[in-house]
PDB file of all heavy atoms in Angstrom:
ATOM      1  N   LEU U   1      -6.340 139.535 101.184  1.00 93.00           N
ATOM      2  CA  LEU U   1      -5.686 139.069 102.418  1.00 93.00           C
ATOM      3  C   LEU U   1      -4.430 139.876 102.710  1.00 93.00           C
ATOM      4  O   LEU U   1      -4.160 140.233 103.868  1.00 93.00           O
ATOM      5  CB  LEU U   1      -5.336 137.582 102.290  1.00 93.00           C
ATOM      6  CG  LEU U   1      -6.518 136.605 102.344  1.00 93.00           C
ATOM      7  CD1 LEU U   1      -6.053 135.204 101.983  1.00 93.00           C
ATOM      8  CD2 LEU U   1      -7.166 136.617 103.731  1.00 93.00           C
ATOM      9  N   GLY U   2      -3.665 140.171 101.660  1.00 93.00           N
ATOM     10  CA  GLY U   2      -2.462 140.989 101.849  1.00 93.00           C
ATOM     11  C   GLY U   2      -2.802 142.358 102.411  1.00 93.00           C
ATOM     12  O   GLY U   2      -2.104 142.869 103.305  1.00 93.00           O
ATOM     13  N   LYS U   3      -3.855 142.968 101.902  1.00 91.00           N
ATOM     14  CA  LYS U   3      -4.266 144.282 102.391  1.00 91.00           C
ATOM     15  C   LYS U   3      -4.770 144.203 103.828  1.00 91.00           C
ATOM     16  O   LYS U   3      -4.513 145.099 104.646  1.00 91.00           O
ATOM     17  CB  LYS U   3      -5.351 144.858 101.481  1.00 91.00           C
ATOM     18  CG  LYS U   3      -4.849 145.318 100.125  1.00 91.00           C
ATOM     19  CD  LYS U   3      -3.906 146.506 100.276  1.00 91.00           C
ATOM     20  CE  LYS U   3      -3.400 147.009  98.953  1.00 91.00           C
ATOM     21  NZ  LYS U   3      -2.463 148.144  99.099  1.00 91.00           N
ATOM     22  N   LEU U   4      -5.503 143.140 104.165  1.00 92.00           N
ATOM     23  CA  LEU U   4      -6.015 142.988 105.529  1.00 92.00           C
ATOM     24  C   LEU U   4      -4.874 142.876 106.533  1.00 92.00           C
ATOM     25  O   LEU U   4      -4.950 143.430 107.643  1.00 92.00           O
ATOM     26  CB  LEU U   4      -6.923 141.754 105.607  1.00 92.00           C
ATOM     27  CG  LEU U   4      -8.288 141.882 104.928  1.00 92.00           C
ATOM     28  CD1 LEU U   4      -8.978 140.523 104.856  1.00 92.00           C
ATOM     29  CD2 LEU U   4      -9.172 142.876 105.680  1.00 92.00           C
ATOM     30  N   ILE U   5      -3.823 142.154 106.149  1.00 93.00           N
ATOM     31  CA  ILE U   5      -2.648 142.056 107.025  1.00 93.00           C
ATOM     32  C   ILE U   5      -1.958 143.417 107.135  1.00 93.00           C
ATOM     33  O   ILE U   5      -1.572 143.858 108.227  1.00 93.00           O
ATOM     34  CB  ILE U   5      -1.669 140.990 106.484  1.00 93.00           C
ATOM     35  CG1 ILE U   5      -2.319 139.602 106.567  1.00 93.00           C
ATOM     36  CG2 ILE U   5      -0.346 141.028 107.243  1.00 93.00           C
ATOM     37  CD1 ILE U   5      -1.536 138.512 105.845  1.00 93.00           C
ATOM     38  N   GLN U   6      -1.811 144.081 105.992  1.00 91.00           N
ATOM     39  CA  GLN U   6      -1.172 145.407 105.969  1.00 91.00           C
ATOM     40  C   GLN U   6      -1.936 146.400 106.832  1.00 91.00           C
ATOM     41  O   GLN U   6      -1.330 147.220 107.542  1.00 91.00           O
ATOM     42  CB  GLN U   6      -1.103 145.904 104.523  1.00 91.00           C
ATOM     43  CG  GLN U   6      -0.531 147.310 104.371  1.00 91.00           C
ATOM     44  CD  GLN U   6      -0.624 147.800 102.933  1.00 91.00           C
ATOM     45  OE1 GLN U   6      -0.696 147.012 101.997  1.00 91.00           O
ATOM     46  NE2 GLN U   6      -0.628 149.114 102.763  1.00 91.00           N
ATOM     47  N   TYR U   7      -3.259 146.334 106.793  1.00 89.00           N
ATOM     48  CA  TYR U   7      -4.088 147.279 107.550  1.00 89.00           C
ATOM     49  C   TYR U   7      -4.206 146.901 109.025  1.00 89.00           C
ATOM     50  O   TYR U   7      -4.823 147.626 109.807  1.00 89.00           O
ATOM     51  CB  TYR U   7      -5.505 147.340 106.960  1.00 89.00           C
ATOM     52  CG  TYR U   7      -5.595 147.863 105.549  1.00 89.00           C
ATOM     53  CD1 TYR U   7      -6.690 147.512 104.752  1.00 89.00           C
ATOM     54  CD2 TYR U   7      -4.633 148.707 105.012  1.00 89.00           C
ATOM     55  CE1 TYR U   7      -6.806 147.998 103.449  1.00 89.00           C
ATOM     56  CE2 TYR U   7      -4.738 149.180 103.722  1.00 89.00           C
ATOM     57  CZ  TYR U   7      -5.834 148.826 102.938  1.00 89.00           C
ATOM     58  OH  TYR U   7      -5.956 149.297 101.663  1.00 89.00           O
ATOM     59  N   ASP U   8      -3.667 145.708 109.411  1.00 91.00           N
ATOM     60  CA  ASP U   8      -3.797 145.207 110.785  1.00 91.00           C
ATOM     61  C   ASP U   8      -5.263 144.893 111.113  1.00 91.00           C
ATOM     62  O   ASP U   8      -5.717 145.068 112.235  1.00 91.00           O
ATOM     63  CB  ASP U   8      -3.240 146.208 111.802  1.00 91.00           C
ATOM     64  CG  ASP U   8      -3.029 145.586 113.171  1.00 91.00           C
ATOM     65  OD1 ASP U   8      -2.792 144.355 113.222  1.00 91.00           O
ATOM     66  OD2 ASP U   8      -3.137 146.306 114.181  1.00 91.00           O
ATOM     67  N   PHE U   9      -5.996 144.414 110.098  1.00 92.00           N
ATOM     68  CA  PHE U   9      -7.392 144.003 110.308  1.00 92.00           C
ATOM     69  C   PHE U   9      -7.484 142.526 110.676  1.00 92.00           C
ATOM     70  O   PHE U   9      -8.494 142.098 111.233  1.00 92.00           O
ATOM     71  CB  PHE U   9      -8.225 144.244 109.047  1.00 92.00           C
ATOM     72  CG  PHE U   9      -8.534 145.696 108.776  1.00 92.00           C
ATOM     73  CD1 PHE U   9      -9.200 146.061 107.608  1.00 92.00           C
ATOM     74  CD2 PHE U   9      -8.172 146.703 109.655  1.00 92.00           C
ATOM     75  CE1 PHE U   9      -9.495 147.382 107.334  1.00 92.00           C
ATOM     76  CE2 PHE U   9      -8.455 148.025 109.395  1.00 92.00           C
ATOM     77  CZ  PHE U   9      -9.112 148.377 108.221  1.00 92.00           C
ATOM     78  N   ILE U  10      -6.436 141.730 110.334  1.00 93.00           N
ATOM     79  CA  ILE U  10      -6.444 140.307 110.674  1.00 93.00           C
ATOM     80  C   ILE U  10      -5.068 139.912 111.220  1.00 93.00           C
ATOM     81  O   ILE U  10      -4.059 140.544 110.947  1.00 93.00           O
ATOM     82  CB  ILE U  10      -6.788 139.411 109.456  1.00 93.00           C
ATOM     83  CG1 ILE U  10      -5.753 139.561 108.341  1.00 93.00           C
ATOM     84  CG2 ILE U  10      -8.188 139.706 108.941  1.00 93.00           C
ATOM     85  CD1 ILE U  10      -5.930 138.557 107.194  1.00 93.00           C
ATOM     86  N   ASP U  11      -5.087 138.842 111.983  1.00 92.00           N
ATOM     87  CA  ASP U  11      -3.857 138.224 112.488  1.00 92.00           C
ATOM     88  C   ASP U  11      -3.977 136.742 112.169  1.00 92.00           C
ATOM     89  O   ASP U  11      -4.690 136.003 112.857  1.00 92.00           O
ATOM     90  CB  ASP U  11      -3.730 138.450 113.994  1.00 92.00           C
ATOM     91  CG  ASP U  11      -2.456 137.837 114.567  1.00 92.00           C
ATOM     92  OD1 ASP U  11      -1.622 137.366 113.769  1.00 92.00           O
ATOM     93  OD2 ASP U  11      -2.317 137.819 115.793  1.00 92.00           O
ATOM     94  N   GLY U  12      -3.315 136.323 111.094  1.00 88.00           N
ATOM     95  CA  GLY U  12      -3.495 134.955 110.614  1.00 88.00           C
ATOM     96  C   GLY U  12      -4.892 134.798 110.044  1.00 88.00           C
ATOM     97  O   GLY U  12      -5.323 135.556 109.182  1.00 88.00           O
ATOM     98  N   ALA U  13      -5.634 133.800 110.561  1.00 89.00           N
ATOM     99  CA  ALA U  13      -7.000 133.564 110.097  1.00 89.00           C
ATOM    100  C   ALA U  13      -8.032 134.135 111.062  1.00 89.00           C
ATOM    101  O   ALA U  13      -9.200 133.754 111.053  1.00 89.00           O
ATOM    102  CB  ALA U  13      -7.235 132.067 109.910  1.00 89.00           C
ATOM    103  N   THR U  14      -7.582 135.090 111.889  1.00 93.00           N
ATOM    104  CA  THR U  14      -8.471 135.674 112.902  1.00 93.00           C
ATOM    105  C   THR U  14      -8.493 137.189 112.744  1.00 93.00           C
ATOM    106  O   THR U  14      -7.464 137.820 112.524  1.00 93.00           O
ATOM    107  CB  THR U  14      -7.991 135.324 114.316  1.00 93.00           C
ATOM    108  OG1 THR U  14      -7.880 133.907 114.434  1.00 93.00           O
ATOM    109  CG2 THR U  14      -8.957 135.864 115.369  1.00 93.00           C
ATOM    110  N   ALA U  15      -9.676 137.743 112.881  1.00 93.00           N
ATOM    111  CA  ALA U  15      -9.801 139.200 112.820  1.00 93.00           C
ATOM    112  C   ALA U  15      -9.284 139.809 114.106  1.00 93.00           C
ATOM    113  O   ALA U  15      -9.503 139.287 115.207  1.00 93.00           O
ATOM    114  CB  ALA U  15     -11.250 139.594 112.601  1.00 93.00           C
ATOM    115  N   THR U  16      -8.548 140.907 113.981  1.00 94.00           N
ATOM    116  CA  THR U  16      -8.094 141.652 115.154  1.00 94.00           C
ATOM    117  C   THR U  16      -9.276 142.415 115.740  1.00 94.00           C
ATOM    118  O   THR U  16     -10.317 142.561 115.084  1.00 94.00           O
ATOM    119  CB  THR U  16      -6.995 142.645 114.754  1.00 94.00           C
ATOM    120  OG1 THR U  16      -7.550 143.603 113.840  1.00 94.00           O
ATOM    121  CG2 THR U  16      -5.819 141.926 114.104  1.00 94.00           C
ATOM    122  N   PRO U  17      -9.153 142.916 116.988  1.00 92.00           N
ATOM    123  CA  PRO U  17     -10.245 143.746 117.538  1.00 92.00           C
ATOM    124  C   PRO U  17     -10.606 144.907 116.615  1.00 92.00           C
ATOM    125  O   PRO U  17     -11.796 145.230 116.440  1.00 92.00           O
ATOM    126  CB  PRO U  17      -9.662 144.230 118.866  1.00 92.00           C
ATOM    127  CG  PRO U  17      -8.711 143.149 119.278  1.00 92.00           C
ATOM    128  CD  PRO U  17      -8.094 142.669 117.995  1.00 92.00           C
ATOM    129  N   LEU U  18      -9.580 145.531 115.991  1.00 91.00           N
ATOM    130  CA  LEU U  18      -9.850 146.610 115.047  1.00 91.00           C
ATOM    131  C   LEU U  18     -10.644 146.080 113.846  1.00 91.00           C
ATOM    132  O   LEU U  18     -11.635 146.693 113.411  1.00 91.00           O
ATOM    133  CB  LEU U  18      -8.542 147.236 114.567  1.00 91.00           C
ATOM    134  CG  LEU U  18      -8.664 148.282 113.446  1.00 91.00           C
ATOM    135  CD1 LEU U  18      -9.512 149.467 113.896  1.00 91.00           C
ATOM    136  CD2 LEU U  18      -7.274 148.747 112.996  1.00 91.00           C
ATOM    137  N   GLY U  19     -10.230 144.942 113.327  1.00 92.00           N
ATOM    138  CA  GLY U  19     -10.926 144.358 112.186  1.00 92.00           C
ATOM    139  C   GLY U  19     -12.377 144.036 112.496  1.00 92.00           C
ATOM    140  O   GLY U  19     -13.267 144.223 111.659  1.00 92.00           O
ATOM    141  N   ARG U  20     -12.623 143.537 113.723  1.00 93.00           N
ATOM    142  CA  ARG U  20     -13.995 143.196 114.093  1.00 93.00           C
ATOM    143  C   ARG U  20     -14.877 144.447 114.165  1.00 93.00           C
ATOM    144  O   ARG U  20     -16.040 144.431 113.753  1.00 93.00           O
ATOM    145  CB  ARG U  20     -14.024 142.457 115.430  1.00 93.00           C
ATOM    146  CG  ARG U  20     -13.460 141.046 115.335  1.00 93.00           C
ATOM    147  CD  ARG U  20     -13.630 140.260 116.617  1.00 93.00           C
ATOM    148  NE  ARG U  20     -13.118 138.905 116.464  1.00 93.00           N
ATOM    149  CZ  ARG U  20     -13.799 137.907 115.907  1.00 93.00           C
ATOM    150  NH1 ARG U  20     -15.051 138.112 115.501  1.00 93.00           N
ATOM    151  NH2 ARG U  20     -13.254 136.707 115.783  1.00 93.00           N
ATOM    152  N   VAL U  21     -14.321 145.524 114.702  1.00 91.00           N
ATOM    153  CA  VAL U  21     -15.092 146.777 114.774  1.00 91.00           C
ATOM    154  C   VAL U  21     -15.401 147.290 113.367  1.00 91.00           C
ATOM    155  O   VAL U  21     -16.528 147.703 113.071  1.00 91.00           O
ATOM    156  CB  VAL U  21     -14.321 147.839 115.584  1.00 91.00           C
ATOM    157  CG1 VAL U  21     -15.016 149.196 115.471  1.00 91.00           C
ATOM    158  CG2 VAL U  21     -14.217 147.421 117.045  1.00 91.00           C
ATOM    159  N   ILE U  22     -14.392 147.259 112.495  1.00 91.00           N
ATOM    160  CA  ILE U  22     -14.577 147.704 111.121  1.00 91.00           C
ATOM    161  C   ILE U  22     -15.658 146.877 110.440  1.00 91.00           C
ATOM    162  O   ILE U  22     -16.541 147.391 109.753  1.00 91.00           O
ATOM    163  CB  ILE U  22     -13.246 147.582 110.323  1.00 91.00           C
ATOM    164  CG1 ILE U  22     -12.163 148.456 110.940  1.00 91.00           C
ATOM    165  CG2 ILE U  22     -13.473 147.937 108.858  1.00 91.00           C
ATOM    166  CD1 ILE U  22     -12.497 149.915 111.001  1.00 91.00           C
ATOM    167  N   CYS U  23     -15.612 145.565 110.651  1.00 92.00           N
ATOM    168  CA  CYS U  23     -16.579 144.646 110.042  1.00 92.00           C
ATOM    169  C   CYS U  23     -17.987 144.902 110.573  1.00 92.00           C
ATOM    170  O   CYS U  23     -18.953 144.964 109.804  1.00 92.00           O
ATOM    171  CB  CYS U  23     -16.151 143.208 110.322  1.00 92.00           C
ATOM    172  SG  CYS U  23     -17.320 141.957 109.772  1.00 92.00           S
ATOM    173  N   ARG U  24     -18.102 145.056 111.906  1.00 91.00           N
ATOM    174  CA  ARG U  24     -19.416 145.215 112.531  1.00 91.00           C
ATOM    175  C   ARG U  24     -20.137 146.459 112.021  1.00 91.00           C
ATOM    176  O   ARG U  24     -21.354 146.474 111.909  1.00 91.00           O
ATOM    177  CB  ARG U  24     -19.238 145.285 114.052  1.00 91.00           C
ATOM    178  CG  ARG U  24     -20.551 145.452 114.815  1.00 91.00           C
ATOM    179  CD  ARG U  24     -20.304 145.478 116.314  1.00 91.00           C
ATOM    180  NE  ARG U  24     -19.729 144.207 116.763  1.00 91.00           N
ATOM    181  CZ  ARG U  24     -18.622 144.114 117.508  1.00 91.00           C
ATOM    182  NH1 ARG U  24     -17.967 145.210 117.864  1.00 91.00           N
ATOM    183  NH2 ARG U  24     -18.172 142.937 117.871  1.00 91.00           N
ATOM    184  N   HIS U  25     -19.374 147.491 111.672  1.00 88.00           N
ATOM    185  CA  HIS U  25     -19.981 148.755 111.253  1.00 88.00           C
ATOM    186  C   HIS U  25     -19.958 148.967 109.740  1.00 88.00           C
ATOM    187  O   HIS U  25     -20.237 150.057 109.269  1.00 88.00           O
ATOM    188  CB  HIS U  25     -19.279 149.920 111.969  1.00 88.00           C
ATOM    189  CG  HIS U  25     -19.535 149.944 113.440  1.00 88.00           C
ATOM    190  ND1 HIS U  25     -20.708 150.415 113.987  1.00 88.00           N
ATOM    191  CD2 HIS U  25     -18.778 149.526 114.501  1.00 88.00           C
ATOM    192  CE1 HIS U  25     -20.677 150.301 115.300  1.00 88.00           C
ATOM    193  NE2 HIS U  25     -19.501 149.772 115.637  1.00 88.00           N
ATOM    194  N   PHE U  26     -19.649 147.916 108.991  1.00 90.00           N
ATOM    195  CA  PHE U  26     -19.703 147.961 107.527  1.00 90.00           C
ATOM    196  C   PHE U  26     -18.851 149.108 106.967  1.00 90.00           C
ATOM    197  O   PHE U  26     -19.253 149.796 106.018  1.00 90.00           O
ATOM    198  CB  PHE U  26     -21.147 148.120 107.038  1.00 90.00           C
ATOM    199  CG  PHE U  26     -22.040 146.960 107.359  1.00 90.00           C
ATOM    200  CD1 PHE U  26     -22.648 146.842 108.601  1.00 90.00           C
ATOM    201  CD2 PHE U  26     -22.268 145.977 106.408  1.00 90.00           C
ATOM    202  CE1 PHE U  26     -23.476 145.770 108.897  1.00 90.00           C
ATOM    203  CE2 PHE U  26     -23.099 144.892 106.700  1.00 90.00           C
ATOM    204  CZ  PHE U  26     -23.697 144.776 107.946  1.00 90.00           C
ATOM    205  N   LEU U  27     -17.687 149.316 107.558  1.00 85.00           N
ATOM    206  CA  LEU U  27     -16.848 150.419 107.106  1.00 85.00           C
ATOM    207  C   LEU U  27     -15.919 149.978 105.977  1.00 85.00           C
ATOM    208  O   LEU U  27     -15.290 148.924 106.055  1.00 85.00           O
ATOM    209  CB  LEU U  27     -15.996 150.943 108.267  1.00 85.00           C
ATOM    210  CG  LEU U  27     -16.737 151.718 109.358  1.00 85.00           C
ATOM    211  CD1 LEU U  27     -15.776 152.032 110.503  1.00 85.00           C
ATOM    212  CD2 LEU U  27     -17.329 152.994 108.806  1.00 85.00           C
ATOM    213  N   ALA U  28     -15.834 150.799 104.946  1.00 84.00           N
ATOM    214  CA  ALA U  28     -14.825 150.579 103.921  1.00 84.00           C
ATOM    215  C   ALA U  28     -13.467 150.937 104.516  1.00 84.00           C
ATOM    216  O   ALA U  28     -13.371 151.807 105.395  1.00 84.00           O
ATOM    217  CB  ALA U  28     -15.119 151.442 102.697  1.00 84.00           C
ATOM    218  N   PRO U  29     -12.392 150.298 104.080  1.00 82.00           N
ATOM    219  CA  PRO U  29     -11.070 150.551 104.684  1.00 82.00           C
ATOM    220  C   PRO U  29     -10.688 152.028 104.707  1.00 82.00           C
ATOM    221  O   PRO U  29     -10.211 152.531 105.733  1.00 82.00           O
ATOM    222  CB  PRO U  29     -10.126 149.741 103.792  1.00 82.00           C
ATOM    223  CG  PRO U  29     -10.969 148.636 103.261  1.00 82.00           C
ATOM    224  CD  PRO U  29     -12.331 149.227 103.078  1.00 82.00           C
ATOM    225  N   LYS U  30     -10.879 152.741 103.595  1.00 82.00           N
ATOM    226  CA  LYS U  30     -10.477 154.147 103.559  1.00 82.00           C
ATOM    227  C   LYS U  30     -11.261 154.966 104.574  1.00 82.00           C
ATOM    228  O   LYS U  30     -10.706 155.834 105.256  1.00 82.00           O
ATOM    229  CB  LYS U  30     -10.676 154.710 102.148  1.00 82.00           C
ATOM    230  CG  LYS U  30      -9.665 154.186 101.126  1.00 82.00           C
ATOM    231  CD  LYS U  30      -9.866 154.835  99.760  1.00 82.00           C
ATOM    232  CE  LYS U  30      -8.856 154.307  98.759  1.00 82.00           C
ATOM    233  NZ  LYS U  30      -9.035 154.916  97.413  1.00 82.00           N
ATOM    234  N   ALA U  31     -12.569 154.679 104.675  1.00 84.00           N
ATOM    235  CA  ALA U  31     -13.384 155.404 105.661  1.00 84.00           C
ATOM    236  C   ALA U  31     -12.916 155.091 107.075  1.00 84.00           C
ATOM    237  O   ALA U  31     -12.890 155.972 107.957  1.00 84.00           O
ATOM    238  CB  ALA U  31     -14.860 155.040 105.484  1.00 84.00           C
ATOM    239  N   ALA U  32     -12.537 153.834 107.306  1.00 84.00           N
ATOM    240  CA  ALA U  32     -12.054 153.452 108.632  1.00 84.00           C
ATOM    241  C   ALA U  32     -10.796 154.219 108.995  1.00 84.00           C
ATOM    242  O   ALA U  32     -10.652 154.709 110.134  1.00 84.00           O
ATOM    243  CB  ALA U  32     -11.783 151.946 108.664  1.00 84.00           C
ATOM    244  N   PHE U  33      -9.882 154.367 108.055  1.00 82.00           N
ATOM    245  CA  PHE U  33      -8.636 155.065 108.343  1.00 82.00           C
ATOM    246  C   PHE U  33      -8.858 156.558 108.561  1.00 82.00           C
ATOM    247  O   PHE U  33      -8.203 157.174 109.403  1.00 82.00           O
ATOM    248  CB  PHE U  33      -7.624 154.829 107.218  1.00 82.00           C
ATOM    249  CG  PHE U  33      -7.080 153.428 107.201  1.00 82.00           C
ATOM    250  CD1 PHE U  33      -7.062 152.689 106.033  1.00 82.00           C
ATOM    251  CD2 PHE U  33      -6.604 152.838 108.365  1.00 82.00           C
ATOM    252  CE1 PHE U  33      -6.568 151.402 106.021  1.00 82.00           C
ATOM    253  CE2 PHE U  33      -6.107 151.551 108.361  1.00 82.00           C
ATOM    254  CZ  PHE U  33      -6.092 150.814 107.187  1.00 82.00           C
TER     255      PHE U  33
END
């Protein structure tokens, strides 16, 4: 959870638009960056 907040993948208990795209395409965080 700490990493997801740091990466701007979530806002509270909700995925950000960036997080949703990353999730939809099964991207690992490093690959996403």
Side-chain angles (χ1 to χ4, degrees):
L1 288 171
K3 287 294 181 181
L4 288 170
I5 294 170
Q6 177 186 337
Y7 296 156
D8 195 28
F9 287 175
I10 62 172
D11 181 7
T14 305
T16 63
L18 174 61
R20 289 187 178 277
V21 171
I22 299 301
C23 174
R24 180 179 298 129
H25 292 282
F26 295 83
L27 289 174
K30 288 183 180 180
F33 288 130

